[in-house]
Amino acid sequence: MMYVRRVLAQLIDLVVGVLLLFVTFAYVTPFLVKLVGNAYAAVIAAILLYIVVYYLLQYPFMKNGQTLGKAFFSLKIITTDSKDGAVPIAVIVQREILCKLMSCFFICIPLFLGKPGGHEEATHTRVVSSKHRA
């Protein structure tokens, strides 16, 4: 079913994010503390670096209306506002922020019921199989 693929795609994106977070705080932050000499500044720099690297990893997929996880499961984000279905990268980033930073557990619960999630309603998008654009 589509929602199973969506959940698994979300898990892939989550695992990539968590692994990058681990690398950032286990290896990069201690290096930055030594380099900068201020732990607070190093942590802020590490967080900013994490965000930049995460979106650089996702950017090639976002250009195609996907994330890494969605590409793996042949899913695509389309807009509900126009006939061509193309979604600007800025809207995909908004979806990512809404879904990941605003707690996917609450925003995405409707997906399990076959309804659009809050992040989809807010950005006027939906996810379809990239093999069959509907």
Side-chain angles (χ1 to χ4, degrees), residues 27-47:
Y27 299 104
V28 176
T29 303
F31 172 75
L32 289 175
V33 169
K34 290 178 186 174
L35 184 68
V36 176
N38 181 326
Y40 294 113
V43 168
I44 290 170
I47 291 169

Side-chain angles (χ1 to χ4, degrees), residues 12-22 50 54:
I12 287 175
D13 291 337
L14 180 67
V15 167
V16 168
V18 168
L19 286 174
L20 182 60
L21 198 63
F22 173 76
Y50 166 80
Y54 179 80

Side-chain angles (χ1 to χ4, degrees), residues 78-123:
I78 63 168
T79 184
T80 57
D81 287 342
S82 69
K83 291 187 180 195
D84 71 356
V87 179
I89 291 173
V91 173
I92 295 172
V93 170
Q94 287 173 345
R95 280 178 53 98
E96 289 291 298
I97 291 169
L98 283 171
C99 192
K100 291 186 175 60
L101 295 181
M102 308 280 297
S103 182
C104 186
F105 299 107
F106 296 112
I107 289 178
C108 296
I109 285 175
L111 297 177
F112 292 106
L113 305 172
K115 300 181 189 277
H119 62 299
E120 293 178 322
E121 292 289 331
T123 58

